[in-house]
Amino acid sequence: MDDTDGYFGETVAARYDESSAEMFASDVVEPAVDVLAELAGDGRALELAIGTGRIALPLARRGVAVHGIDMSRAMVARLRVKPGGDGIGVTIGDFATTKMEGTFSVAYLVFNTIMNLTTQAEQVACFRNVADHLEPGGAFVIEVMVPDLRRLPPGQNAVPFHVDGRRLGFDLYDVATQAMSSHHVEVEDGRGSYWSVPFRYVWPAELDLMAQLAGLRLRERWDGWNREPFTSESRQHVSVWEKPAD
């Protein structure tokens, strides 16, 4: 792994689209793009952790000017070779602190990526950084899981999220620190590979407080991109905070 790319270096980037194929399906991508295009309006969109362009490319095809931030040059290289990828500006850096020129109508962070910031301080810094880049009335959108702690019986700290004949994925939780990590084992042609990524899980109410510290306020919270009601049974949420127009 190239340390400059964090946990998403060449080895992960080379198979990222394939390993996350379900997230590239049109019925997953299009509802997200619908929401983000509506929020962007005639303004610009900023994607934190733009990766290989799963959301940025179809959003740009809607006529939205998209700029991205990402630490992984390997992931961005995959974006660049896709149709339209060379027309999207990308700044290499940490999305919690990297500064951009100009302002944006919407900034967004999808697919649990807020949890790639592994301390509360970094997550708070991300909200403040986004607030600095939003136009008055602009929106910050996060898509993230609700911590799945109800699946942990006493004494257990592992929750499987993918199990089949060639791939095993499980999350490890530390409920004392909100630290967690995802572990991936893949078997191909009789040979196994393993990689893991650290995270920090975060509660919806905690995100709301981070937003408040950054001068943002909650506008909407849904179960998903189709704007289903968020309930106590929701296992994920899409939340929209806005920067006051005044």
Side-chain angles (χ1 to χ4, degrees), residues 176-233:
T177 64
Q178 291 183 217
M180 63 176 290
S181 55
S182 289
H183 299 258
H184 306 259
V185 178
E186 296 185 7
V187 178
E188 188 170 355
D189 298 328
R191 302 188 66 180
S193 63
Y194 165 79
W195 64 286
S196 66
V197 183
F199 298 104
R200 179 186 186 270
Y201 68 79
V202 60
W203 299 98
E206 188 180 7
L207 290 169
D208 290 342
L209 182 56
M210 294 179 186
Q212 182 178 338
L213 292 171
L216 308 178
R217 60 192 179 199
L218 182 67
R219 180 194 298 178
E220 302 278 1
R221 174 164 289 133
W222 307 301
D223 182 277
W225 292 105
N226 290 310
R227 311 190 195 208
E228 309 93 330
F230 178 76
T231 73
S232 59
E233 298 303 314

Coordinates of all heavy atoms in Angstrom, one line a residue, residues 176-233:
A176 N -16.5 1.2 23.6 CA -16.0 2.2 24.6 C -15.5 3.4 23.9 O -15.5 4.5 24.4 CB -15.0 1.5 25.4
T177 N -15.0 3.2 22.7 CA -14.3 4.3 22.0 C -15.0 4.7 20.7 O -14.5 5.7 20.0 CB -12.8 3.9 21.7 OG1 -12.8 2.8 20.7 CG2 -12.1 3.5 22.9
Q178 N -16.0 4.0 20.2 CA -16.6 4.2 18.9 C -15.7 3.9 17.8 O -15.9 4.2 16.6 CB -17.3 5.6 18.8 CG -18.5 5.8 19.7 CD -19.2 7.1 19.5 OE1 -19.6 7.7 20.4 NE2 -19.2 7.6 18.2
A179 N -14.6 3.2 18.1 CA -13.7 2.7 17.0 C -14.3 1.4 16.4 O -14.9 0.6 17.1 CB -12.3 2.4 17.6
M180 N -14.1 1.3 15.1 CA -14.5 0.0 14.5 C -13.6 -0.2 13.3 O -12.8 0.7 12.9 CB -16.0 0.1 14.0 CG -16.3 1.1 12.9 SD -18.0 1.0 12.3 CE -18.0 -0.5 11.4
S181 N -13.6 -1.4 12.7 CA -12.8 -1.6 11.6 C -13.5 -2.7 10.7 O -14.2 -3.6 11.2 CB -11.4 -2.1 12.0 OG -11.5 -3.3 12.8
S182 N -13.4 -2.5 9.4 CA -14.0 -3.5 8.5 C -12.8 -4.4 7.9 O -11.8 -3.9 7.6 CB -14.6 -2.8 7.3 OG -15.8 -2.2 7.7
H183 N -13.1 -5.7 7.9 CA -12.1 -6.7 7.5 C -12.7 -7.5 6.4 O -13.8 -7.9 6.4 CB -11.8 -7.6 8.7 CG -11.2 -6.9 9.9 ND1 -9.9 -6.9 10.2 CD2 -11.9 -6.1 10.8 CE1 -9.7 -6.1 11.3 NE2 -10.9 -5.7 11.7
H184 N -11.8 -7.7 5.3 CA -12.2 -8.3 4.1 C -11.3 -9.4 3.8 O -10.0 -9.3 3.7 CB -12.1 -7.3 2.9 CG -12.9 -6.0 3.2 ND1 -14.2 -5.8 2.7 CD2 -12.7 -4.9 4.0 CE1 -14.6 -4.6 3.1 NE2 -13.7 -4.1 3.8
V185 N -11.8 -10.6 3.6 CA -11.1 -11.8 3.1 C -11.6 -12.2 1.8 O -12.9 -12.4 1.7 CB -11.2 -12.9 4.2 CG1 -10.4 -14.1 3.7 CG2 -10.6 -12.5 5.5
E186 N -10.8 -12.3 0.8 CA -11.2 -12.8 -0.5 C -10.4 -14.0 -1.0 O -9.2 -14.0 -0.8 CB -11.1 -11.7 -1.6 CG -12.0 -10.5 -1.3 CD -12.0 -9.4 -2.3 OE1 -11.4 -9.7 -3.4 OE2 -12.6 -8.3 -2.1
V187 N -11.1 -15.0 -1.6 CA -10.4 -16.2 -2.1 C -10.6 -16.3 -3.6 O -11.8 -16.2 -4.1 CB -11.0 -17.4 -1.4 CG1 -10.3 -18.7 -1.9 CG2 -10.8 -17.3 0.1
E188 N -9.6 -16.4 -4.3 CA -9.6 -16.5 -5.8 C -8.6 -17.5 -6.2 O -7.4 -17.4 -5.9 CB -9.4 -15.1 -6.4 CG -9.6 -15.1 -7.9 CD -9.6 -13.7 -8.5 OE1 -9.5 -12.7 -7.7 OE2 -9.7 -13.6 -9.7
D189 N -9.0 -18.5 -7.0 CA -8.1 -19.5 -7.5 C -7.4 -20.2 -6.3 O -6.2 -20.5 -6.5 CB -7.1 -19.0 -8.5 CG -7.8 -18.4 -9.7 OD1 -8.9 -18.9 -10.1 OD2 -7.3 -17.4 -10.3
G190 N -8.1 -20.4 -5.2 CA -7.5 -21.1 -4.1 C -6.6 -20.3 -3.3 O -6.0 -20.8 -2.3
R191 N -6.4 -19.0 -3.6 CA -5.5 -18.2 -2.8 C -6.3 -17.1 -2.1 O -7.2 -16.5 -2.7 CB -4.4 -17.6 -3.7 CG -3.6 -18.6 -4.4 CD -2.4 -18.0 -5.1 NE -1.5 -17.4 -4.2 CZ -0.4 -16.8 -4.6 NH1 -0.1 -16.7 -5.9 NH2 0.5 -16.3 -3.7
G192 N -5.9 -16.8 -0.9 CA -6.7 -15.8 -0.1 C -5.9 -14.5 0.0 O -4.7 -14.4 0.0
S193 N -6.7 -13.4 0.1 CA -6.1 -12.1 0.4 C -6.9 -11.4 1.5 O -8.1 -11.8 1.7 CB -6.1 -11.2 -0.9 OG -7.5 -10.9 -1.3
Y194 N -6.2 -10.5 2.2 CA -6.9 -9.9 3.4 C -6.5 -8.4 3.4 O -5.4 -8.0 3.2 CB -6.4 -10.6 4.7 CG -6.7 -9.8 5.9 CD1 -8.0 -9.8 6.5 CD2 -5.8 -9.0 6.6 CE1 -8.3 -9.1 7.6 CE2 -6.0 -8.3 7.7 CZ -7.3 -8.3 8.2 OH -7.6 -7.6 9.4
W195 N -7.5 -7.6 3.8 CA -7.2 -6.2 4.0 C -8.3 -5.6 5.0 O -9.3 -6.2 5.1 CB -7.2 -5.3 2.8 CG -8.4 -5.2 2.0 CD1 -9.0 -6.2 1.2 CD2 -9.3 -4.1 1.8 NE1 -10.1 -5.8 0.6 CE2 -10.3 -4.5 1.0 CE3 -9.2 -2.8 2.3 CZ2 -11.4 -3.6 0.6 CZ3 -10.3 -1.9 2.0 CH2 -11.3 -2.3 1.1
S196 N -7.9 -4.6 5.7 CA -8.8 -4.0 6.7 C -8.7 -2.5 6.6 O -7.7 -1.9 6.2 CB -8.5 -4.5 8.1 OG -7.2 -4.1 8.5
V197 N -9.8 -1.8 7.1 CA -9.8 -0.4 7.1 C -10.4 0.1 8.5 O -11.4 -0.4 8.9 CB -10.7 0.2 6.0 CG1 -10.7 1.7 6.0 CG2 -10.3 -0.3 4.6
P198 N -9.7 1.0 9.1 CA -10.3 1.5 10.4 C -11.3 2.6 10.2 O -11.3 3.4 9.2 CB -9.1 2.1 11.1 CG -8.2 2.6 10.0 CD -8.4 1.6 8.8
F199 N -12.3 2.7 11.1 CA -13.4 3.7 11.0 C -13.7 4.2 12.4 O -13.2 3.7 13.4 CB -14.7 3.1 10.5 CG -14.6 2.6 9.1 CD1 -14.5 1.2 8.8 CD2 -14.6 3.4 8.0 CE1 -14.4 0.7 7.5 CE2 -14.5 3.0 6.7 CZ -14.4 1.6 6.4
R200 N -14.5 5.2 12.5 CA -15.1 5.7 13.7 C -16.6 5.8 13.5 O -17.0 6.7 12.7 CB -14.5 7.0 14.3 CG -15.2 7.4 15.6 CD -14.7 8.8 16.0 NE -15.3 9.1 17.4 CZ -16.5 9.7 17.5 NH1 -17.2 10.1 16.5 NH2 -16.9 9.9 18.8
Y201 N -17.4 5.0 14.1 CA -18.8 5.1 13.9 C -19.4 6.3 14.6 O -18.8 6.8 15.6 CB -19.6 3.8 14.2 CG -19.6 3.4 15.7 CD1 -20.5 4.0 16.6 CD2 -18.8 2.4 16.2 CE1 -20.6 3.6 17.9 CE2 -18.9 2.0 17.5 CZ -19.8 2.6 18.4 OH -19.9 2.2 19.7
V202 N -20.5 6.8 14.1 CA -21.0 8.1 14.6 C -22.5 8.1 14.6 O -23.1 7.6 13.6 CB -20.4 9.3 13.8 CG1 -20.8 9.2 12.4 CG2 -20.8 10.6 14.4
W203 N -23.1 8.6 15.6 CA -24.6 8.6 15.8 C -25.2 9.8 15.1 O -24.6 10.9 15.0 CB -25.0 8.6 17.2 CG -24.5 7.4 17.9 CD1 -23.4 7.3 18.7 CD2 -25.0 6.1 17.9 NE1 -23.2 6.0 19.2 CE2 -24.2 5.2 18.7 CE3 -26.2 5.5 17.3 CZ2 -24.5 3.9 19.0 CZ3 -26.4 4.1 17.6 CH2 -25.6 3.4 18.4
P204 N -26.5 9.7 14.6 CA -27.1 10.9 14.0 C -27.1 12.1 14.9 O -26.8 13.2 14.4 CB -28.6 10.4 13.7 CG -28.4 8.9 13.5 CD -27.3 8.5 14.5
A205 N -27.5 11.9 16.1 CA -27.5 13.1 17.0 C -26.1 13.7 17.2 O -26.0 14.9 17.4 CB -28.1 12.7 18.4
E206 N -25.1 12.9 17.2 CA -23.7 13.4 17.3 C -23.4 14.2 16.0 O -22.7 15.3 16.1 CB -22.8 12.2 17.4 CG -21.3 12.6 17.8 CD -20.4 11.4 17.9 OE1 -20.9 10.2 17.6 OE2 -19.3 11.5 18.3
L207 N -23.8 13.7 14.9 CA -23.6 14.5 13.7 C -24.3 15.8 13.7 O -23.8 16.9 13.3 CB -24.0 13.7 12.4 CG -23.2 12.5 12.1 CD1 -23.9 11.6 11.1 CD2 -21.8 12.9 11.6
D208 N -25.5 15.9 14.3 CA -26.2 17.1 14.4 C -25.5 18.1 15.3 O -25.5 19.3 15.0 CB -27.6 16.9 15.0 CG -28.5 16.1 14.0 OD1 -28.3 16.1 12.8 OD2 -29.6 15.6 14.5
L209 N -24.9 17.6 16.3 CA -24.1 18.5 17.2 C -22.9 19.0 16.5 O -22.5 20.2 16.6 CB -23.7 17.8 18.5 CG -22.9 18.6 19.5 CD1 -23.7 19.9 19.9 CD2 -22.6 17.8 20.7
M210 N -22.2 18.2 15.7 CA -21.1 18.6 14.9 C -21.5 19.7 13.9 O -20.8 20.7 13.7 CB -20.5 17.4 14.1 CG -19.8 16.4 15.0 SD -19.1 15.0 14.0 CE -18.6 13.9 15.3
A211 N -22.7 19.5 13.3 CA -23.2 20.5 12.4 C -23.4 21.8 13.1 O -23.1 22.9 12.6 CB -24.5 20.0 11.7
Q212 N -24.0 21.8 14.3 CA -24.3 23.0 15.1 C -23.0 23.7 15.4 O -23.0 24.9 15.3 CB -25.0 22.6 16.4 CG -25.4 23.8 17.2 CD -26.2 23.4 18.5 OE1 -26.8 22.3 18.5 NE2 -26.2 24.2 19.5
L213 N -22.0 23.0 15.8 CA -20.7 23.6 16.1 C -20.1 24.3 14.9 O -19.4 25.3 15.0 CB -19.7 22.5 16.6 CG -20.0 21.9 17.9 CD1 -19.0 20.7 18.2 CD2 -19.9 23.0 19.0
A214 N -20.5 23.8 13.7 CA -20.0 24.5 12.4 C -20.9 25.5 11.9 O -20.7 26.1 10.8 CB -19.8 23.4 11.4
G215 N -22.0 25.8 12.6 CA -23.0 26.8 12.2 C -24.0 26.3 11.2 O -24.6 27.2 10.5
L216 N -24.2 25.0 11.1 CA -25.2 24.4 10.2 C -26.4 23.9 11.0 O -26.3 23.7 12.2 CB -24.5 23.3 9.4 CG -23.2 23.6 8.6 CD1 -22.8 22.3 8.0 CD2 -23.4 24.7 7.6
R217 N -27.5 23.8 10.3 CA -28.7 23.2 11.0 C -29.3 22.2 10.1 O -29.3 22.2 8.9 CB -29.7 24.4 11.2 CG -30.2 25.1 10.0 CD -30.9 26.4 10.4 NE -31.4 27.1 9.2 CZ -31.7 28.4 9.2 NH1 -31.6 29.1 10.3 NH2 -32.1 29.0 8.1
L218 N -29.9 21.2 10.8 CA -30.5 20.1 10.1 C -31.8 20.5 9.3 O -32.6 21.2 9.8 CB -30.9 19.0 11.1 CG -31.6 17.7 10.5 CD1 -30.5 16.9 9.7 CD2 -32.1 16.8 11.6
R219 N -31.8 20.1 8.0 CA -32.9 20.4 7.2 C -33.8 19.2 7.0 O -35.0 19.2 7.1 CB -32.5 21.0 5.8 CG -33.6 21.3 4.9 CD -33.2 21.5 3.4 NE -32.2 22.6 3.3 CZ -31.7 22.9 2.1 NH1 -31.9 22.2 1.0 NH2 -30.8 23.9 2.1
E220 N -33.1 18.1 6.7 CA -33.9 16.8 6.3 C -33.1 15.6 6.9 O -31.8 15.7 6.9 CB -34.0 16.6 4.8 CG -34.8 17.8 4.1 CD -36.3 17.7 4.3 OE1 -36.8 16.7 4.9 OE2 -37.0 18.5 3.7
R221 N -33.8 14.6 7.2 CA -33.1 13.3 7.5 C -34.1 12.2 7.0 O -35.2 12.1 7.4 CB -32.8 13.1 9.0 CG -32.3 11.7 9.3 CD -31.6 11.6 10.7 NE -30.3 12.4 10.7 CZ -30.0 13.2 11.6 NH1 -30.8 13.5 12.6 NH2 -28.8 13.9 11.5
W222 N -33.5 11.3 6.1 CA -34.3 10.2 5.5 C -33.6 8.9 5.8 O -32.4 8.9 6.1 CB -34.4 10.4 4.0 CG -34.9 11.8 3.6 CD1 -36.1 12.4 3.9 CD2 -34.3 12.7 2.7 NE1 -36.2 13.6 3.3 CE2 -35.1 13.8 2.5 CE3 -33.0 12.7 2.0 CZ2 -34.8 14.9 1.8 CZ3 -32.7 13.8 1.2 CH2 -33.6 14.9 1.1
D223 N -34.4 7.8 5.6 CA -33.8 6.5 5.7 C -32.9 6.2 4.5 O -31.9 5.5 4.6 CB -34.9 5.5 5.7 CG -34.4 4.0 5.8 OD1 -34.1 3.4 4.8 OD2 -34.4 3.5 7.0
G224 N -33.2 6.9 3.4 CA -32.3 6.6 2.2 C -32.6 7.7 1.1 O -33.3 8.7 1.4
W225 N -32.0 7.5 0.0 CA -32.0 8.6 -1.1 C -33.4 8.7 -1.7 O -33.7 9.7 -2.3 CB -31.0 8.3 -2.2 CG -29.6 8.4 -1.7 CD1 -28.7 7.4 -1.4 CD2 -28.9 9.6 -1.5 NE1 -27.5 7.9 -1.1 CE2 -27.6 9.2 -1.1 CE3 -29.2 10.9 -1.6 CZ2 -26.6 10.2 -0.8 CZ3 -28.2 11.9 -1.3 CH2 -26.9 11.5 -0.9
N226 N -34.3 7.7 -1.5 CA -35.7 7.9 -2.0 C -36.6 8.6 -1.0 O -37.8 8.6 -1.2 CB -36.2 6.5 -2.3 CG -35.6 5.9 -3.5 OD1 -35.5 6.5 -4.6 ND2 -35.1 4.6 -3.4
R227 N -35.9 9.2 0.1 CA -36.6 10.0 1.0 C -37.6 9.3 1.9 O -38.6 9.9 2.3 CB -37.2 11.3 0.3 CG -36.3 12.0 -0.6 CD -36.8 13.3 -1.1 NE -36.0 13.7 -2.3 CZ -35.8 15.0 -2.6 NH1 -36.4 16.0 -1.9 NH2 -35.1 15.3 -3.7
E228 N -37.4 8.0 2.1 CA -38.2 7.3 3.0 C -38.1 7.8 4.4 O -37.0 8.3 4.8 CB -37.8 5.8 3.0 CG -37.7 5.1 1.7 CD -36.3 5.2 1.1 OE1 -35.5 6.1 1.4 OE2 -35.9 4.3 0.3
P229 N -39.1 7.8 5.3 CA -39.0 8.3 6.6 C -37.9 7.6 7.4 O -37.7 6.4 7.4 CB -40.4 8.0 7.2 CG -41.3 7.9 6.1 CD -40.5 7.3 5.0
F230 N -37.1 8.4 8.2 CA -36.1 7.9 9.1 C -36.8 7.5 10.4 O -37.6 8.3 11.0 CB -35.1 8.9 9.4 CG -34.0 8.5 10.4 CD1 -33.0 7.6 10.0 CD2 -34.0 8.9 11.7 CE1 -32.0 7.2 10.8 CE2 -33.0 8.5 12.6 CZ -32.0 7.6 12.1
T231 N -36.6 6.2 10.8 CA -37.3 5.7 12.0 C -36.3 5.0 13.0 O -35.1 4.9 12.6 CB -38.4 4.7 11.7 OG1 -37.8 3.5 11.2 CG2 -39.3 5.2 10.6
S232 N -36.8 4.6 14.1 CA -35.9 3.8 15.0 C -35.4 2.5 14.5 O -34.5 1.9 15.0 CB -36.7 3.6 16.3 OG -37.8 2.9 16.1
E233 N -36.0 2.0 13.4 CA -35.6 0.8 12.8 C -34.7 1.0 11.6 O -34.2 0.1 11.0 CB -36.8 0.0 12.3 CG -37.8 -0.4 13.4 CD -37.1 -1.2 14.5 OE1 -36.3 -2.2 14.1 OE2 -37.3 -0.9 15.6

